[in-house]
Amino acid sequence: MKPFFIATMLLLTAQAFAAEPYTCRNGAFPSYPEIHYGEVMVSADQQAAVFPDREGCPDSSSCSQKDALKKGDKVLIAHASDRWSCVWYSGKHSEVAGWIASQNIRALPARDPAMKNWLGNWKSIGGAARIVIRASRDGQLIVRGNARWVGGLGPTGERIIHSGDLEGKAVPAGNQLRIGDPETPYTCVATLRLLHDQLVVSDNSLCGGVNVRFDEVYRKQR
């Protein structure tokens, strides 16, 4: 029952997440249905404690602090309730994902999802995937991406590498852009969400070889 219970957590309300906080990790963020962009709100001489997502956290007294964030750190926010919120921070040299007291963060207003904000070369924070977005003459966005998964050594001693591609053209609806037709069998389908300076992408696992996913958070390359 445990695996089934954890899987269904993604469909519950924010209050339920606060009561049973098992899933709050960086790799799962692209699949969370509600994600907002925000920042840490503490005084300059304080830090906001971040707790892991293992069973019993963050409410249990036995749950030890995992990391801490400082004032002004920009985060992605999911599963927000009155008490706890699931956040992911990615800086130049570190990543932090976990539960933080909701009073220590605030959601920032959505940025203008103008077409120009989508355009550019995007690289996943994990570094295994890249997406290029260009404007078409008919007012749509052209999306092309590539990703790869590097495994162990095969029977012949060569490194196992699987690759994948993402390609499509569409018009964004607000801060969301959907590529591919979900009604067509075995078709790569992806949803791209633009949250300020970060692009959150989730796919249907049909965009490449085994273990190849575009499910990542991306930053625009300068």
Side-chain angles (χ1 to χ4, degrees):
M1 295 295 292
K2 193 71 169 185
F4 174 77
F5 177 73
I6 295 176
T8 57
M9 290 286 289
L10 294 177
L11 301 178
L12 300 179
T13 62
Q15 289 77 11
F17 272 116
E20 302 286 356
Y22 294 124
T23 56
C24 180
R25 58 198 67 169
N26 53 0
F29 253 83
S31 65
Y32 293 146
E34 294 291 334
I35 305 176
H36 302 281
Y37 191 85
E39 67 177 354
V40 176
M41 295 290 294
V42 292
S43 60
D45 59 344
Q46 290 182 325
Q47 290 187 320
V50 180
F51 297 92
D53 73 343
R54 67 174 181 265
E55 186 172 355
C57 292
D59 289 308
S60 172
S61 59
S62 64
C63 183
S64 59
Q65 178 177 333
K66 177 183 178 182
D67 284 293
L69 298 176
K70 65 182 185 300
K71 179 180 180 180
D73 281 342
K74 301 299 187 293
V75 296
L76 296 180
I77 306 170
H79 315 336
S81 73
D82 291 339
R83 295 188 60 207
W84 299 101
S85 295
C86 171
V87 303
W88 179 22
Y89 165 80
S90 178
K92 292 183 178 179
H93 307 291
S94 64
E95 287 186 30
V96 177
W99 296 94
I100 190 172
S102 295
Q103 65 182 11
N104 290 333
I105 58 172
R106 69 168 181 173
L108 296 175
R111 179 174 290 180
D112 176 19
M115 295 286 275
K116 65 179 182 180
N117 294 340
W118 292 89
L119 306 180
N121 300 321
W122 299 84
K123 180 181 178 181
S124 67
I125 292 176
R130 287 174 170 78
I131 293 176
V132 178
I133 302 179
R134 299 285 184 262
S136 67
R137 293 184 177 180
D138 58 359
Q140 300 187 74
L141 293 177
I142 301 172
V143 179
R144 292 189 175 92
N146 59 81
R148 69 174 189 165
W149 173 82
V150 179
L153 298 179
T156 62
E158 295 182 351
R159 182 70 61 184
I160 299 174
I161 300 177
H162 297 160
S163 61
D165 296 292
L166 176 67
E167 186 171 353
K169 185 168 68 170
V171 176
N175 73 332
Q176 294 196 24
L177 180 68
R178 288 187 171 88
I179 300 298
D181 182 5
E183 300 299 323
T184 303
Y186 310 112
T187 297
C188 171
V189 178
T191 299
L192 294 73
R193 287 179 279 183
L194 184 60
L195 300 173
H196 284 240
D197 60 345
Q198 299 188 55
L199 188 68
V200 182
V201 181
S202 59
D203 65 34
N204 62 347
S205 302
L206 296 175
C207 299
V210 177
N211 294 325
V212 176
R213 299 295 302 274
F214 285 89
D215 283 41
E216 298 230 29
V217 178
Y218 298 72
R219 286 207 177 96
K220 189 179 294 187
Q221 301 298 288
R222 303 298 180 184

